[in-house]
Amino acid sequence: MLPTEEEFDEEDIALYEHHRIAVDKGQSLVRIDKFLTEKVANATRNKVQQAIDNGFVLVNGLPTKSNYKVKPFDDIRVMLPKEPRDTEVIPENISLDIIFEDAYLLVVNKPAGMVAHPAHGNWTGTLVNALVYHFQQLPEMKGNVGRPGLVHRIDKDTSGLLVIAKTEEAMTGLAAQFYHHTIERTYWALVWGDFQENEGTITGHVGRSAKDRKVMDVYPDGSQGKHAVTHWKVLKHLRYVSLIECRLETGRTHQIRAHMKFLGHPLFSDAMYGGDKIRKGTQFSKYKSFVENCFQIMPRQALHAKSLGFVHPITKEKLFFESSLPDDFQGVLERWENYVQFE
């Protein structure tokens, strides 16, 4: 069975084949499940019907049903599960930036560009590949086979702090804190635009977009997705952009990125959510060159997992960690500070 809307997560996107079919003008009326079985290689009728039932087949941007009759000029988008791969993780001697470690857990500072765990298209070079090299017999959460040590994760191109469990007891205790939303997490983000207020809260369900299932949309009426709450405050007003701190009350896929876009403040340089274009500012060529230079310095979303606080699952000690902004983020921030000061 394909994952449901709420079970579907970011890295799982890579586990699916993506197809787009532009129906010919001479196409006769035929059921879409039959049509796709004939058009898509290795697609069985049952697999196609499951994909349709789970909303992974869109006709002209909208979910469809198995008995829909394909019409000329229909635009059909399909996601079908790929063949599963052996879940054995290959140990790799990749250095880790370890902030804290004891016999039960460790806190690492993940660089931007590193995938959290192996998945289709990224079987090597991940954080988990590094973890299984440096640590033996890491526990796995139920339903997370092939992801030893991981209790949570952050996007590939988001930098910052992650806590890793080294024992079953630690994993159970940490997972409970995430489940009950008692983990303290703050992120720093550079976003487009200025804010009229210095702080606020965004409450709005976050769920997979019906038009592009690689991105998340906000559903304020709660009709889709999962309950999500982000508390934000402005750290620096930089005329056309703002440095903000986001404190997560929940932890949904792309939560900050989706919530900030919903507010009209997409993250700077976030191509997936429209932040890789000039959203605010002047039309002067000098300004455009300045922004383009910033995009080149940081060709990824300006998001960093800045702090992480939790109760040690064994010792019950309250732990709190912070990490500095990485060089690309810091460099872009300094350029904006100078621009505001001298331009």
Side-chain angles (χ1 to χ4, degrees):
M1 179 75 105
L2 288 173
T4 65
E5 176 74 24
E6 292 193 347
E7 293 169 337
F8 208 80
D9 212 341
E10 182 209 359
E11 285 88 348
D12 297 325
I13 288 288
L15 300 177
Y16 288 77
E17 298 175 359
H18 299 255
H19 303 274
R20 185 170 185 176
I21 302 170
V23 180
D24 295 337
K25 64 179 180 180
Q27 175 66 47
S28 60
L29 297 180
V30 61
R31 280 175 59 111
I32 192 168
D33 52 359
K34 183 176 185 297
F35 175 82
L36 291 177
T37 302
E38 295 173 351
K39 290 286 186 180
V40 179
N42 303 316
T44 65
R45 192 78 168 261
N46 184 56
K47 183 187 287 189
V48 169
Q49 289 175 341
Q50 284 187 338
I52 292 171
D53 291 343
N54 284 281
F56 294 157
V57 177
L58 304 180
V59 177
N60 303 321
L62 298 174
T64 189
K65 296 184 178 180
S66 295
N67 62 1
Y68 172 80
K69 299 291 182 65
V70 174
K71 299 177 178 61
F73 304 111
D74 275 347
D75 176 65
I76 303 175
R77 300 190 185 193
V78 187
M79 289 171 57
L80 294 175
K82 294 180 178 178
E83 293 299 316
R85 177 185 164 113
D86 190 341
T87 56
E88 180 183 0
V89 180
I90 301 171
E92 293 182 76
N93 187 7
I94 302 170
S95 62
L96 293 171
D97 183 8
I98 299 176
I99 306 299
F100 171 85
E101 181 185 358
D102 65 12
Y104 308 101
L105 57 86
L106 65 147
V107 175
V108 299
N109 193 24
K110 185 189 83 67
M114 175 181 272
V115 176
H117 61 76
H120 186 82
N122 294 286
W123 295 114
T124 60
T126 76
L127 175 62
V128 166
N129 291 110
L131 289 172
V132 297
Y133 177 89
H134 294 287
F135 305 96
Q136 285 69 49
Q137 298 180 331
L138 291 174
E140 293 182 331
M141 292 180 65
K142 184 179 179 181
N144 272 340
V145 177
R147 305 174 185 181
L150 285 195
V151 185
H152 65 130
R153 57 193 178 187
I154 55 179
D155 297 340
K156 172 185 175 182
D157 289 326
T158 298
S159 54
L161 298 177
L162 285 165
V163 59
I164 309 297
K166 295 170 69 175
T167 69
E168 292 281 358
E169 188 177 3
M171 176 162 280
T172 299
L174 290 169
Q177 292 181 58
F178 275 99
Y179 179 80
H180 293 294
H181 307 305
T182 57
I183 298 281
E184 297 177 22
R185 288 175 289 171
T186 65
Y187 290 71
W188 280 18
L190 189 68
V191 302
W192 279 106
D194 199 5
F195 293 80
Q196 291 185 341
E197 305 201 0
N198 285 324
E199 59 183 275
T201 296
I202 315 168
T203 301
H205 279 47
V206 172
R208 194 67 53 184
S209 169
K211 295 182 179 180
D212 183 353
R213 299 188 74 82
K214 293 193 290 289
V215 303
M216 309 299 283
D217 279 343
V218 176
Y219 300 90
D221 61 357
S223 60
Q224 298 184 52
K226 287 184 177 181
H227 174 67
V229 180
T230 304
H231 305 282
W232 60 269
K233 68 177 180 180
V234 178
L235 301 177
K236 291 184 179 180
H237 296 274
L238 298 169
R239 194 178 304 174
Y240 303 127
V241 297
S242 300
L243 179 67
I244 66 170
E245 179 181 271
C246 294
R247 180 171 60 84
L248 293 183
E249 190 170 310
T250 56
R252 310 307 181 197
T253 301
H254 295 186
Q255 178 173 318
I256 293 174
R257 299 165 72 184
H259 268 171
M260 296 317 298
K261 181 184 178 182
F262 179 73
L263 283 188
H265 298 280
L267 270 61
F268 186 82
S269 199
D270 189 349
M272 189 172 287
Y273 289 87
D276 61 337
K277 300 176 178 60
I278 296 177
R279 304 296 296 260
K280 301 288 182 181
T282 71
Q283 296 300 313
F284 298 128
S285 59
K286 184 178 180 181
Y287 174 74
K288 292 181 179 179
S289 296
F290 163 75
V291 176
E292 291 295 335
N293 179 255
C294 289
F295 285 153
Q296 291 177 13
I297 294 171
M298 187 171 54
R300 54 106 176 179
Q301 67 264 15
L303 186 62
H304 177 69
K306 189 73 167 59
S307 71
L308 182 64
F310 56 91
V311 175
H312 193 292
I314 311 303
T315 67
K316 306 307 178 184
E317 179 185 1
K318 179 67 188 237
L319 300 177
F320 182 80
F321 305 95
E322 287 188 295
S323 66
S324 301
L325 289 176
D327 291 343
D328 60 347
F329 199 143
Q330 186 63 42
V332 167
L333 179 60
E334 289 175 356
R335 279 165 174 77
W336 275 104
E337 289 172 335
N338 290 334
Y339 184 87
V340 170
Q341 184 176 357
F342 298 112
E343 293 297 326

